[in-house]
Amino acid sequence: MACAGVSLRPAALLWGWLLLGCSWGPGPPGVGAAPLFSAAYVLDDAGGLGRRFDGIGAVSGGGATSRLLVNYQEPYRSQILDYLFKPNFGASLHILKVEIGGDGQSTDGTEPSHMHYENDENYFRGYEWWLMKEAKKRNPKIKLIGLPWTFPAWVGKGENWPYDYPDVTVYYIISWILGAKQYHDLDIDYVGIWNERAFSSKYIKLLRYTLDKHGLQQVRIIASDRLWEPISFVLLLDSELHGVVDVIGAHYPGTKTVPNAILTQKKLWSSEDYSTFNDEVGAGCWARILNQNYVNGNMTSTIAWNLVASYYEELPFGRCGLMTAQEPWSGYYRVEAPIWITAHTTQFTEPGWSYLQVDGHLEGGGSFVALTDGLGNLTIIIETMSHNHSQCIRPPLPHFSVSPQRATFYLKGSFYMVKTLQVWHSRLGFESAQSTFFQQLHPVKVWRGSFYLDLNVDEVYTLTTLKTGQKCICPDPPPSQPFPSNYKDDFNIRNPPFSEAPNFADQTGVFEYFINTSDPGDHVFTLRQVVVQRPITWSSDADQTISIIGNFQWENFTVTCDIYIEQPRDGGVFVAGRVDNGGIYVRSTKGVFFWVFADGTYRVTGDLAGEEILMKGLSGVRANAWHTLTLSIQGTSASGLLNGYPLWENVTITEPSNGWAAIGTRSFEFAQFDNFHVEAS
């Protein structure tokens, strides 16, 4: 892919500096606002270096955050992947962290497990394998992390807890790591314990022992992906545990650490951070924490949740990705500001570089970090994000102020001979509503080991000896379009590229392509709900399974689907419309739900839980036979057909007024669906 927009003519560059109010020493200052602060900062490696830099990354998972990405057609899907992973192109990420799918709801959906049941193994379910391979294809040096949020029920042997049988849980996780290598030639670099939940010292020790036993010594362990404590305190008390944990990973640390974490002398990572709407305030949040996690907290890696907002925006934490790609039906996507904020660090550093030993706080507010490869290269990243323009979703941000300032840098030690630094600049234009991102400016000349620049508020600079940075821009994607108002899927695909049907977003349970070899007729290829026991949960999965699809703004529409109840006596399935919720809030989902049950009854309810009964009666439906359900919603009225004939009608609907279409089951049970069709008016 060719790069565009990466250079300006000298005259235009000069005019750009004057407009920005920037100045490079030792010449005269620019014409911008007079700096209120002036301070000098020394960059020197003569006395040794700081901590080793471990890279910047992002999370796919926790959960189903990349769900819609896989359905994009080429070339748009590859363009999105390039912006995320390709070196010197866009975000150029160093780390990809993925969910080890466990069949349970983990924020915006469920991700399928490689082992639904104890005697079941399939290393081609879901899309995380594919995503890791695509990342490696673009950057062979990218680091891969696996972390479970949920676990299949069999791991806990009936208990909602993965540590009662640590040997079983270890077997489950090791199988995923071995499967990654055997089936996809993927080497997992790090593995976590249980996302934001309790840890077990016994389990962690057994995990390390078993990894080594299987020749997986290169797989390092992160714990505990929650808070700094109690893991740091326990590591100080338990020397054996201290010997097997490689990284202390904390979530949303607010750029701060705790004394015990420092005392462990372990690598400290912000192993999940950001989670913020990807507008310019989100970009400000990301710019601030990328620097200050190290400056304030000695963290050598920061990992964003999430990689790419590829899930229905009305689900929890909509558009909290580094970029947005939630319209596979149109091909539209957006390269959001956090992509270019990421590039300020990732395009000019690599894991294995080291931070310099500097305080990193700017006198006028803001921060800087300086890193070196130890071979003479130097990269300085400066941010001056103001409080109101850099608030992350969590934790609360204490008040601080940032002012225009002049920063003078003195290069000493091996950097004294540096004569020129390349300059990349971003400015979040909250007052002017005109922002610039990752713009290459004229190189700065270093005179007698020093230079200065005038910094305004809400800016990011990278100054570097590297000349490899690029702002690559793909052709514009197609325009945004709503979900098709007339959508069909007959699931007739013999060798699907992914286990899940396009655009269906499972919220409880897992719906997979299925070959129904017992059916000689029209239902050989179906979609089947396959989770038959409630998983070890991370959030409040519903007691019913549900997969949503469509346009959340739909009001009047008709859903038709062939259904097949497999569970006799107490089995049941539904089709639904105006479904108003999902993700971690799935238990409280409302809508219009048309249920049929294996005992020959039906119900119409206003909620997924089935507690708000609007209509009920006899249907004659039985298990192990195909039937067609049709749900029509118009204004404040709904009606239902069974096999093309009216079963109920004129049920009054007061709320919700809009929402998705959906399919699902009464419980965790096998059931099949075919010939899905939704038509909105």
Side-chain angles (χ1 to χ4, degrees):
M1 178 65 62
C3 299
V6 299
S7 62
L8 293 172
R9 290 174 296 182
L13 280 168
L14 178 59
W15 183 240
W17 311 328
L18 294 176
L19 288 175
L20 289 169
C22 303
S23 61
W24 314 123
V31 298
L36 301 178
F37 293 90
S38 182
Y41 309 94
V42 177
L43 304 181
D44 189 355
D45 60 352
L49 300 173
R51 291 190 174 222
R52 181 184 183 275
F53 174 65
D54 294 307
I56 306 302
V59 182
S60 173
T65 52
S66 304
R67 176 67 193 93
L68 298 175
L69 173 61
V70 298
N71 307 142
Y72 270 80
Q73 299 299 307
E74 297 295 350
Y76 312 114
R77 190 172 72 176
S78 287
Q79 291 170 3
I80 296 165
L81 293 165
D82 285 349
Y83 279 120
L84 295 169
F85 301 120
K86 192 173 180 180
N88 298 309
F89 191 93
S92 307
L93 292 169
H94 302 134
I95 298 169
L96 172 60
K97 180 176 181 177
V98 304
E99 178 175 350
I100 300 175
D103 295 339
Q105 171 61 243
S106 53
T107 297
D108 287 294
T110 66
E111 297 206 22
S113 171
H114 58 290
M115 300 178 75
H116 293 316
Y117 329 110
E118 192 167 4
N119 60 352
D120 160 71
E121 290 186 66
N122 184 327
Y123 297 93
F124 295 91
R125 293 189 183 118
Y127 45 80
E128 303 295 6
W129 314 106
W130 166 84
L131 186 62
M132 287 188 284
K133 286 189 289 187
E134 292 295 325
K136 278 284 188 183
K137 186 188 301 181
R138 288 160 174 79
N139 178 10
K141 294 189 290 185
I142 197 168
K143 301 296 183 182
L144 300 177
I145 305 175
L147 175 66
W149 270 250
T150 71
F151 301 85
W154 64 268
V155 172
K157 297 190 177 182
E159 298 296 326
N160 196 42
W161 193 248
Y163 300 137
D164 287 343
Y165 305 93
D167 55 326
V168 176
T169 306
V170 166
Y171 166 70
Y172 173 76
I173 296 298
I174 295 287
S175 296
W176 184 86
I177 296 171
L178 292 172
K181 182 63 174 178
Q182 180 177 349
Y183 295 97
H184 302 286
D185 196 27
L186 291 168
D187 292 305
I188 304 301
D189 297 287
Y190 296 90
V191 65
I193 309 305
W194 187 13
N195 183 77
E196 295 175 356
R197 297 296 180 261
F199 68 90
S200 159
S201 297
K202 180 180 179 180
Y203 168 75
I204 295 172
K205 294 170 187 177
L206 183 59
L207 178 62
R208 178 73 271 161
Y209 170 80
T210 312
L211 285 166
D212 293 345
K213 182 179 176 181
H214 285 84
L216 297 169
Q217 290 85 357
Q218 82 283 358
V219 181
R220 315 317 296 170
I221 292 177
I222 304 174
S224 65
D225 279 300
R226 191 178 186 183
L227 303 173
W228 294 119
E229 299 288 15
I231 184 66
S232 299
F233 179 70
V234 175
L235 287 176
L236 292 173
L237 292 180
D238 187 335
S239 60
E240 184 183 356
L241 186 66
H242 188 280
V244 300
V245 171
D246 300 279
V247 177
I248 302 178
H251 287 194
Y252 308 98
T255 78
K256 304 294 177 59
T257 187
V258 298
N260 280 343
I262 299 293
L263 288 174
T264 66
Q265 298 185 317
K266 293 293 183 183
K267 290 179 178 293
L268 308 180
W269 289 9
S270 179
S271 52
E272 185 178 314
D273 217 326
Y274 176 65
S275 277
T276 301
F277 192 79
N278 59 21
D279 59 6
E280 292 185 354
V281 172
C285 152
W286 187 229
R288 178 175 54 79
I289 64 177
L290 280 178
N291 268 17
Q292 294 191 26
N293 277 347
Y294 184 75
V295 170
N296 297 333
N298 292 285
M299 288 165 261
T300 55
S301 178
T302 297
I303 300 174
W305 188 89
N306 57 68
L307 174 73
V308 53
S310 277
Y311 46 99
Y312 291 112
E313 186 169 333
E314 295 81 5
L315 286 168
F317 306 102
R319 271 188 59 189
C320 284
L322 297 181
M323 63 181 291
T324 304
Q326 56 195 26
E327 289 188 23
W329 47 87
S330 71
Y332 175 76
Y333 63 85
R334 278 180 56 111
V335 183
E336 309 284 4
I339 289 289
W340 302 119
I341 295 300
T342 310
H344 272 282
T345 298
T346 54
Q347 289 204 22
F348 310 106
T349 60
E350 286 189 24
W353 284 42
S354 294
Y355 287 96
L356 298 191
Q357 298 187 65
V358 294
D359 175 83
H361 294 99
L362 294 170
E363 287 291 324
S367 67
F368 72 94
V369 293
L371 302 98
T372 180
D373 62 356
L375 303 174
N377 282 309
L378 174 68
T379 292
I380 308 162
I381 304 116
I382 303 167
E383 61 81 20
T384 57
M385 294 299 118
S386 60
H387 178 275
N388 291 346
H389 297 156
S390 67
Q391 295 187 59
C392 304
I393 197 170
R394 66 178 79 85
L397 183 61
H399 179 74
F400 63 87
S401 60
V402 181
S403 302
Q405 57 195 294
R406 175 167 294 174
T408 301
F409 290 89
Y410 290 94
L411 306 186
K412 295 188 175 182
S414 66
F415 309 122
Y416 181 78
M417 299 307 295
V418 171
K419 300 300 182 186
T420 305
L421 291 168
Q422 306 299 312
V423 182
W424 293 80
H425 174 257
S426 293
R427 183 179 210 173
L428 301 177
F430 291 97
E431 305 304 327
S432 66
Q434 291 184 336
S435 297
T436 57
F437 292 108
F438 204 58
Q439 182 179 35
Q440 187 171 18
L441 303 182
H442 195 275
V444 58
K445 300 296 183 182
V446 182
W447 187 66
R448 293 184 179 177
S450 72
F451 67 94
Y452 70 81
L453 64 158
D454 288 346
L455 304 170
N456 279 315
V457 177
D458 295 327
E459 292 187 321
V460 182
Y461 282 95
T462 300
L463 299 101
T464 179
T465 55
L466 299 181
K467 299 180 180 179
T468 51
Q470 296 182 85
K471 184 176 184 180
C472 290
I473 300 176
C474 297
D476 288 340
S480 174
Q481 296 287 341
F483 192 94
S485 59
N486 191 337
Y487 184 84
K488 298 179 180 180
D489 196 336
D490 60 11
F491 312 118
N492 289 350
I493 179 167
R494 183 173 294 276
N495 295 302
F498 298 98
S499 59
E500 301 155 295
N503 304 321
F504 281 91
D506 304 344
Q507 300 302 308
T508 295
V510 172
F511 295 73
E512 295 180 350
Y513 282 116
F514 181 64
I515 299 179
N516 186 10
T517 56
S518 64
D519 190 307
D522 298 330
H523 301 288
V524 175
F525 300 100
T526 67
L527 193 68
R528 191 189 200 200
Q529 201 293 120
V530 297
V531 178
V532 296
Q533 291 179 286
R534 185 181 183 84
I536 296 174
T537 57
W538 182 80
S539 66
S540 298
D541 298 50
D543 296 322
Q544 309 76 20
T545 74
I546 178 172
S547 187
I548 62 171
I549 191 170
N551 186 339
F552 186 78
Q553 305 307 321
W554 279 342
E555 300 176 7
N556 303 319
F557 57 103
T558 298
V559 186
T560 300
C561 192
D562 297 342
I563 59 92
Y564 186 89
I565 301 171
E566 296 189 47
Q567 183 166 300
R569 293 183 298 279
D570 59 350
V573 303
F574 68 80
V575 297
R578 292 189 184 173
V579 174
D580 74 342
N581 228 329
I584 52 178
Y585 310 116
V586 66
R587 288 186 72 84
S588 61
T589 295
K590 295 186 179 300
V592 185
F593 293 81
F594 175 16
W595 307 77
V596 291
F597 304 106
D599 65 1
T601 64
Y602 79 90
R603 286 188 181 184
V604 183
T605 68
D607 60 341
L608 175 62
E611 296 173 353
E612 184 186 341
I613 300 173
L614 306 176
M615 177 79 80
K616 63 180 180 179
L618 298 176
S619 68
V621 167
R622 292 290 186 268
N624 300 312
W626 282 97
H627 301 277
T628 302
L629 302 185
T630 302
L631 169 65
S632 293
I633 307 173
Q634 294 291 324
T636 59
S637 180
S639 61
L641 307 180
L642 175 63
N643 300 326
Y645 295 95
L647 181 63
W648 54 274
E649 56 188 357
N650 298 326
V651 169
T652 300
I653 308 301
T654 56
E655 59 178 19
S657 60
N658 57 277
W660 297 290
I663 56 175
T665 64
R666 180 184 201 171
S667 64
F668 290 96
E669 62 185 275
F670 286 126
Q672 294 178 58
F673 303 84
D674 202 0
N675 298 318
F676 177 86
H677 181 200
V678 58
E679 188 169 7
S681 58

